[in-house]
Amino acid sequence: MAGPRVVIIGAGVVGAALADEISARGWTEVTVVDQGPLPATGGSSSHAPGLVFQTNSSKAMTELARYTVEKFCSLDVDGQPCFLQVGGLEVATTPERVTELHRRHGWLTAWGIEGRLLSPEECVEQHPLVNPDKVLGGLLVPTDGLAKAVLAVEAQIRRATERGVRFLARHEVLDVQQSEGRVTGVLTDQGEIPADIVVCCAGIWGPKIARMVGMNLPLTPLAHQLAWTGPVPALAGQTQEAVHPILRHQDADLYYRDRFDGLGIGYYGHRPMPVSADDILSVDDADEMPSVLKFTEDDFADAWTETQALLPATREAKVEEGINGLFSFTTDGLPLLGESPDVKGFWVAEAVWVTHSAGVGRAVAEWLVDGHCSSFDLHECDLNRFEPHQLAPEYVLARDCQNFVEVYDILHPLQPSGDPRPIRMSPFHARQQGLGAFFLEANGWERPQWYEANAGLVEGRSIPTPNDWAARYWSPIVGAEAQTTRETVAMYDMTALKRLEISGRGAAALLERLCTSKVDKSVGSVTYTLLLDEDGGIRSDITVARLAPDLFQAGANGNLDLDWFTRHLPADGSVAVRDITPGTCCIGLWGPLARDVLQPLTDADFSAGGLKYFRAKRAHIGSVPVTAMRLSYVGELGWELYTTADLGQKLWDTLWQAARPLGGIVAGRGAFNSLRLEKGYRSFGTDMTYEHDPYEAGVGFAVKLDKDDFIGKAALERRKADVRRRLTCLTIDDPYAVVMGKEPVYDGDRPVGYVTSAAYGYTIGKGIAYAWLPAELATTGRALHIGYFDQRVDAVVAEEPLFDPTMSRLRG
């Protein structure tokens, strides 16, 4: 036996996969408990129809699905395959869906999955039941198929058992035991099981188990309808379980699979039917299994009507059985993976469907055994990504139900979230409303995208209108605001930026250990730096300002940064970290006239020598005390001005009254994004993530290998000399061809990379797209193409930054 004592709660597809993967890595002192029988435990895995579609806008989710497919294809139980690779077909019945299929094909190409767009006739060739008069086109993924979930569970149980893993059926978990902030074991109805690590893979029961350690898990079980027809005459004589591709009719929220001479029909178009984890029946009390509820025929009526229209052969068949099966939904549609922030050793692998199960098993096994996951970028899936308000029961229920409703919808990258909204508002909100702000949401904050008050600035300017898709949640005012920022001065609401305070006698030492740059510098210094994993992958990029000998302020990217700092706090209490975002606010005052606005309002010296670039100071702006940092994410002279929330509106009014006579404006996030791309500034989570290292991402300047040891240093020393891909700046001459991100990049007909961030550069008069490319293609002047829906957009590798390469405007 080797490794720590691990108890996995739940023996469905996730728990079985984790047991298999973790034992394969040498941890064999593992016990898996489940309240139900094995291998069909009664959870979602036991009734799941098994359709595996790999197409996803998330690169990580696609890769988790690809691994699941590859693994399941290699598994069998006594000769019975665990995966039927019949392919996956999505069909379009509206022009909008045809366009969407082109976008989805782009994701597949970007992430390296084979896919093929089909004509209506080709759709019928692939699936003869499809009505050729209704279908306008399709998307085929040959490697998709049907997972035999219960067989896959059994196959992985057998493999793990051979390595020494124990599986205990009919063991109901009553409590997760803990002492001094860490788990010590699991109490079941048949006794205690000691543990150093407990992993919750309980699926729809996840919230109930998580509450045993005081965790509010943002997961809701929702009922989803699945029906089975009787014999369909057109399938008569089919002796194989499935021969046709699994089929999605997303315009009607439907999917299909054949089962010998009948069809399975899944439906998301009905009303959300949430269920509390506490109300799910026990294995013994359930008629069939706990995850199966009574079929509600009225909710299925529209689905059956639409099915007969798409698949006319079903008019000669009947729906003979059906269930309302429970599945897990989250507020952002992504899994919940990681360790509790409060109870050490309690881990979660929840909200994982069969599609991604084996991939998640591998990812969590790597994370546990190695301390980090090297095969997948999990930042989108980390349990600790949420802000406090996103864990509120009302919020969780509303957003989980919304995600159920939208599961097959065509969603724009900027599409605003639904209720509950608004939630977080900066102190400037009333003033912004008065100026006609168009708000989008950022981590719960209402953040202006542009201001209708600036509509008059558009006249006389060259602001091209982008294509229809890029023109959604866009206005020509965005371009006017960007250009005016470069001409005069603009105020930007930066309150949504996460702000952390790191204080105490050990603060400098902690930051030196976590950061790639030297931050133990003079009071007033501001440092751009990175946080890395042990393998050298970028966890975040932050700015660190030293405001006093034992006080630092970090501009962070989200709650995962807070979690990272908190997990690395020294045990002696010499450092405290807290989120100061809710009680503070920030205005970015940027543009060539920024000093003309600010200097008359203060006795402090804001000259070029009085406050140098990347320095900070405390001052009064009018009657408002501020912390001023000479930073600029838009590439212009200016400052980030921080104050407390109660004084925010006063700061806004003071600056606004001074800026207006000089032609100053307020500007929104649309302009901000355009300006930051002109300067080549990276955005963590979009341009670079855990899977990238600093040298690939073009931020190697923030790494000081000559400083004392920091997390990831040893890995970087190995990786520095072997850069095989680069984050690369591309420009696009066609002003109509503004791409949005996640599109494939081609060298000739060969897909070679994908776009991260993109926008139109209103200063340089070209479209901008940053993309990950093989290093040998990241050469200035190289001609490439971007796949944008059904088009190929000409692009050229450009030297960066595109604007003010000498930094004279920033340092003036």
Side-chain angles (χ1 to χ4, degrees), residues 682-734:
R682 277 65 168 147
S683 174
F684 176 80
T686 303
D687 297 318
M688 54 190 186
T689 66
Y690 294 3
E691 67 176 303
H692 306 115
D693 72 43
Y695 306 112
E696 298 171 331
V699 289
F701 63 87
V703 176
K704 308 303 178 188
L705 289 176
D706 58 350
K707 65 170 278 189
D708 290 339
D709 194 27
F710 56 85
I711 292 176
K713 180 180 179 182
L716 285 192
E717 289 174 334
R718 296 191 300 268
R719 294 175 70 158
K720 184 177 182 181
D722 188 26
V723 177
R724 300 182 183 183
R725 58 183 175 180
R726 292 191 184 278
L727 184 62
T728 307
C729 180
L730 306 176
T731 57
I732 302 165
D733 287 335
D734 183 353

Side-chain angles (χ1 to χ4, degrees), residues 11 18 35 37 83 132 174 234 244 264 267 287 293 312 348 371 375 386 416 426 456 525 536 579 679 689 693 710 743:
L18 176 56
Q35 63 184 339
F83 196 80
L174 303 178
H244 301 302
Y267 187 43
D287 291 337
L293 306 181
V348 164
S375 296
F386 300 104
S426 78
S525 64
D579 182 1
K679 281 298 292 179
T689 66
D693 72 43
F710 56 85
E743 297 89 359

Side-chain angles (χ1 to χ4, degrees), residues 50 56 113 199 214 251 275 306 461 536 740 747 752 776 805:
N56 199 294
I113 301 284
V199 187
D251 286 319
V275 175
E306 187 61 35
R461 295 181 180 273
M740 299 289 292
D747 179 26
V752 292
E776 64 272 16

